[in-house]
Amino acid sequence: TVLVKDGSVPVAGATVTGTITTANGSKTNLSGTTGTDGMVSFSYRINKRKTGTGTYTIAVSAAKIGYTSSSATITFTVQ
């Protein structure tokens, strides 16, 4: 789940795009629009036989006209 806020106020209608990079380097693209609560959710099922064990990265960015774009990245390890 991605939460987009302007200060403490949720931003509805922001476009959120992202990429999941798996341990073996394969990529899956994500795209969605925030609801009135400023949130958009994505789901991805890890299949370590196909995509491997090791470090995975999720990078997302959010944009909406009239606001400054923002991005974030997180990594996690699949064993």
Side-chain angles (χ1 to χ4, degrees), residues 5-47:
K5 297 192 303 183
D6 180 21
S8 62
V9 179
V11 177
T15 299
V16 178
T17 57
T19 303
I20 299 171
T21 304
T22 67
N24 73 1
S26 65
K27 297 178 186 259
T28 298
N29 294 319
L30 312 167
S31 181
T33 303
T34 58
T36 56
D37 57 0
M39 290 195 265
V40 61
S41 294
F42 303 103
S43 64
Y44 175 81
R45 186 179 198 108
I46 294 171
N47 180 341

Side-chain angles (χ1 to χ4, degrees), residues 1 8 12-13 35 50-52 54-55 61 66 69 72:
T1 299
S8 62
K50 282 177 106 175
T51 56
T55 302
S61 61
S69 297

